[in-house]
Amino acid sequence: MNFTSLRRRLVIATTALLFVAGCDRDDPTGGTVSDSMTLDQASTRVEEIVREAQAALPPGIELTSRFEGSMPCDDPDDGGPKGRVFAERQYQVVYPAGWPVDQALPTVRQYWEQRGYKVIKDHQPGGDRLLSVENPADGFRIGIEIYARDSGRTDIFLVGSCPCVWEHGSPPA
């Protein structure tokens, strides 16, 4: 092995070690804490998955924002540390008269399943229906909620969220 090859291997090994050391920190509970995407990055991705769901629905709809924000992951279900947050976006689907409301849930279910999302909740009591799926590759979730109102109107909502992230991409010092 020549000097240049050895030097190249040392640089690669050192870079990898520094990367790993910079990404994981000791957790006071005994584990390690990894960096994450930032809350802004996660919010952008949540918006993307909501817009993908919108595009999968039959044409003619608009989305009206109901909630955009973040909340603390006080009781994270991923086994990770507290102190992280998650982004959520909720939109009402506004559709014209005659729009195929009954196709909304099966259409997005098929769309998400074809893209590898896994169903995490499928609740369909009576006229109300809720379907929530998760991308197993990154933990992002998207759901559709359909409510049959007494007035005969059906309200539809798209709700997207991200897994727990550090607001600025890394745990507080």
Side-chain angles (χ1 to χ4, degrees):
M1 177 181 326
N2 65 33
F3 180 72
T4 305
S5 177
L6 178 60
R7 194 165 126 196
R8 182 178 295 130
R9 287 182 184 181
L10 283 172
V11 168
I12 291 170
T14 303
T15 303
L17 183 60
L18 289 173
F19 177 76
V20 171
C23 290
D24 290 335
R25 293 168 179 75
D26 288 332
D27 179 0
T29 62
T32 58
V33 179
S34 297
D35 289 347
S36 68
M37 66 175 51
T38 67
L39 180 59
D40 287 342
Q41 292 167 327
S43 295
T44 298
R45 178 68 185 123
V46 169
E47 181 68 21
E48 289 171 0
I49 63 172
V50 168
R51 295 302 170 175
E52 289 169 10
Q54 177 186 12
L57 288 167
I61 64 165
E62 293 181 21
L63 298 183
T64 301
S65 179
R66 295 197 51 199
F67 175 80
E68 293 181 25
S70 65
M71 291 167 270
C73 287
D74 289 335
D75 190 18
D77 61 3
D78 63 359
K82 293 185 178 188
R84 296 172 298 159
V85 295
F86 71 96
E88 182 172 292
R89 293 185 184 251
Q90 300 174 6
Y91 291 92
Q92 182 165 10
V93 176
V94 180
Y95 57 89
W99 188 77
V101 172
D102 59 326
Q103 292 179 19
L105 192 136
T107 299
V108 294
R109 173 192 287 274
Q110 180 180 15
Y111 175 82
W112 291 326
E113 287 178 342
Q114 287 174 347
R115 279 149 188 80
Y117 283 70
K118 301 296 178 204
V119 174
I120 56 173
K121 185 182 274 187
D122 186 356
H123 185 68
Q124 300 187 36
D128 295 340
R129 293 169 281 167
L130 168 67
L131 175 68
S132 184
V133 297
E134 180 178 301
N135 183 336
D138 61 15
F140 281 78
R141 294 181 176 186
I142 181 77
I144 186 167
E145 300 172 2
I146 301 173
Y147 299 101
R149 305 297 185 196
D150 290 338
S151 65
R153 169 108 181 125
T154 301
D155 289 331
I156 303 174
F157 303 93
L158 290 175
V159 180
S161 66
C162 73
C164 298
V165 298
W166 296 107
E167 184 173 0
H168 301 290
S170 58

